[in-house]
Structures are given as structure tokens and as C-alpha cells.
Amino acid sequence: MRGIKLGQVVGRASYKCDVLFRVVAINGDIVELFGEEMRLVADAPMDDLVVMEETDRKRHLEQYKEKEESCYHLFRQDRKLIREQTEYEITSGYTEKQSFFELPGRILHIDGDPIYLKKCTAVYDRLGVPVYGVHIAEKEMPLQVASLIEMVRPDILVITGHDAYMKNKGSKTDMKAYRNSRYFVDAVKEARKVVPYMDHLVIFAGACQSYFQAILKAGANFASSPERINIHALDPVYVVAKVSLTPFMERVALWDMLKHTLTGERGMGGIESRGSLRRGIPIEQEDIEE
């Protein structure tokens, strides 16, 4: 297939066009690809690529959109339940009328893909989660994460972008077999030098097919990908939003967290961690009216 251009959306014929990609670089007959909905990076020969027609793109996007909306509504239902429980606790079992306010955990989201970063921040806003988003290439993340933590002072850190496990370069326990996992691992280590305690800074790190065990060992609370599968662009958002909106005196229910993601426990995992939402009283009348 000749005439492939930067920015085009394509599929790989050898994989039956199961994942849509954006063309981000062309080096002779080899094309570098970023997943359109999945956090996957890949190289492919130009003659294996199929330019996706608008109808095919819309069909793929509609399928993902349905899954995204399902996750969003499930998240909102759980959020409503937590708030009702909070109201019960704050008002002493409905015996007193008392308004309260909430301070969700603040998120620093570092993303290797500017388009994904924009999508993620839109969902954070929709969920009511405060976020500071930064686009940084994966290899630069270990160099910049410490200064960003000092500047933003987040409760939660997301380190994500694109990744891939390449079987022809080694086993699953060989860091050299991964595109960007080493950068995620190093970035987590640098973050832990600034905030060593897991409940003081909750960290998610990883992308598609990332070296899950190494990222957790480096100090992350949550990571991808236990079974080296592709994860959706928004999966990190639903993991950390659950942490942000869970009261800090409670542990994040791991299975509840995973059910909010599009890839579930095969693509995401982690360890027990506390939430970062804080509640307060009283709330001023003018704030209620606003």
C-alpha cells in the first residue's frame, strides 16, 4: 500500500484491522503507528497497511463509544451510592440537616500522547475530578516527573502513554522486550524519591502490554498490563478517578475499580490503597445557592 501519509488512520491487514492506528512516522517502508483508541505503539511494513474508510472508522468509534458510556454510567452509579452513604454519615443518620463539601484527590496526569491527554482530561472534567495534564514523551518522563510533582503537589499521579511487548526481543521478564516500560519504571522510581509513601501519593503507571510486575515493584499502586494485553486510552482515568472520589478513610475496592475499566483485570491491576477524597463542613449558604 503506497501513498500512506502522516496522520492517516490505518489498520494492519495481517491482524484483520482489529485495531485502528494513527500514522506518526514513516521511515522508508516501515511505518510507526499509535493506537487510535488503544495505548499501543507498533511498527508495520507499509504494504501491510490499509487506509480506513470513514464508514469503517465510524463503526469502530461507535463500538468504543458504547463501551465508554457504559463505564461512565457504571461509575456514576457507584459515585451516587458513595455520596448517599456520606450524607448518611455526615447527617448522623438523617436526624440532622447538615450540608457538606467534598475535596476530591488532585491528579497529575502525564501522557505520552497529546490526543489521548485531551480525551482523558475531558473525562476527568465530566467526572468532577481535578486534574493537571502534561504531555511529555515517554523517554523524558523520568527526567521531569520530580519537578512536576513539586510544582503540582498531587494526591494521585498517572504516568502513561504508549507501549508494546515484542516477543521476538525476549521473554515477558526481559525489560528489553518492551517499547517504553523502562521509562515508566524509572519515572515511578523518581516519583517515589519525592513522595515515598504509597498512601501519600497514589501512582498509576503503564500502557498497552506494559511490564506490570516491574512497574509495581518500582513503587506504583496500580499498573498495566498483567496479561500483556492492550488497554483502552481511558482505562487509567477510571482507575485513578475511583481513588480520587473514594473517601481517604476507606480502601479502594480493587474489584469495584476494575469493573469500571474497559479491559478489566487482564489489563489492569494493583494493590490495596486508600482513597483521597476529603469531606468538610459546614458549607456556606451562598455556595449552596451557586
Side-chain angles (χ1 to χ4, degrees):
M1 177 69 190
R2 300 291 172 179
I4 296 292
K5 300 177 182 178
L6 291 176
Q8 282 185 317
V9 176
V10 300
R12 293 177 294 180
S14 58
Y15 288 84
K16 299 181 180 179
C17 299
D18 59 338
V19 176
L20 299 189
F21 291 91
R22 277 178 282 121
V23 176
V24 296
I26 300 174
N27 302 301
D29 288 332
I30 301 299
V31 181
E32 186 175 356
L33 308 168
F34 281 2
E36 186 73 352
E37 298 294 330
M38 297 291 183
R39 290 186 172 276
L40 180 65
V41 59
D43 291 332
M46 192 170 289
D47 58 10
D48 188 39
L49 300 181
V50 177
V51 176
M52 304 304 294
E53 300 294 335
E54 188 65 24
T55 53
D56 293 325
R57 291 180 61 185
K58 285 184 177 179
R59 177 171 53 81
H60 275 267
L61 290 175
E62 285 173 1
Q63 291 174 351
Y64 282 120
K65 193 66 177 177
E66 288 179 7
K67 293 179 181 178
E68 290 171 14
E69 286 300 310
S70 176
C71 286
Y72 173 77
H73 288 299
L74 184 61
F75 191 99
R76 296 300 299 176
Q77 288 174 4
D78 280 6
R79 174 67 179 135
K80 182 180 178 182
L81 178 60
I82 290 174
R83 187 167 179 85
E84 288 173 351
Q85 292 172 340
T86 297
E87 289 175 351
Y88 184 85
E89 294 170 6
I90 291 287
T91 59
S92 301
Y94 301 124
T95 60
E96 300 176 9
K97 287 291 183 180
Q98 179 65 65
S99 298
F100 65 95
F101 60 91
E102 295 180 330
L103 298 175
R106 180 172 171 79
I107 295 171
L108 169 59
H109 184 116
I110 302 174
D111 207 312
D113 189 310
I115 295 177
Y116 282 175
L117 177 62
K118 186 176 180 180
K119 289 181 179 181
C120 290
T121 52
V123 177
Y124 286 126
D125 290 342
R126 194 178 180 192
L127 295 172
V129 173
V131 63
Y132 186 94
V134 186
H135 166 233
I136 301 175
E138 287 84 355
K139 65 181 180 180
E140 296 295 322
M141 290 177 180
L143 305 177
Q144 299 192 41
V145 66
S147 60
L148 284 167
I149 292 172
E150 294 283 5
M151 181 182 74
V152 179
R153 300 181 68 85
D155 303 293
I156 304 162
L157 171 65
V158 176
I159 302 168
T160 188
H162 295 279
D163 205 357
Y165 166 59
M166 300 165 285
K167 294 180 180 179
N168 62 324
K169 293 193 175 183
S171 69
K172 290 182 179 180
T173 58
D174 187 349
M175 187 64 76
K176 293 179 181 179
Y178 296 86
R179 282 291 188 99
N180 289 319
S181 287
R182 63 186 179 277
Y183 302 126
F184 298 142
V185 166
D186 288 345
V188 171
K189 289 179 178 178
E190 292 301 316
R192 284 291 173 225
K193 291 178 183 179
V194 182
V195 185
Y197 303 110
M198 286 189 164
D199 287 329
H200 292 178
L201 179 66
V202 173
I203 300 177
F204 169 89
C208 280
Q209 304 176 13
S210 290
Y211 192 169
F212 172 76
Q213 292 83 357
I215 294 172
L216 281 189
K217 186 176 179 180
N221 301 66
F222 306 102
S224 61
S225 163
E227 295 193 25
R228 308 304 191 267
I229 67 169
N230 296 336
I231 69 168
H232 190 272
L234 299 179
D235 277 341
V237 173
Y238 285 111
V239 169
V240 297
K242 180 69 174 175
V243 177
S244 173
L245 297 172
T246 296
F248 85 101
M249 292 298 289
E250 298 178 13
R251 289 178 299 179
V252 177
L254 292 177
W255 287 110
D256 284 347
M257 177 196 74
L258 292 175
K259 77 181 182 183
H260 294 136
T261 66
L262 283 84
T263 50
E265 70 272 16
R266 296 183 64 233
M268 314 290 284
I271 62 174
E272 287 185 322
S273 303
R274 289 189 180 277
S276 58
L277 175 79
R278 292 179 181 268
R279 303 170 298 205
I281 56 173
I283 186 169
E284 297 294 333
Q285 186 62 35
E286 60 223 42
D287 295 331
I288 297 174
E289 292 172 355
E290 289 176 0

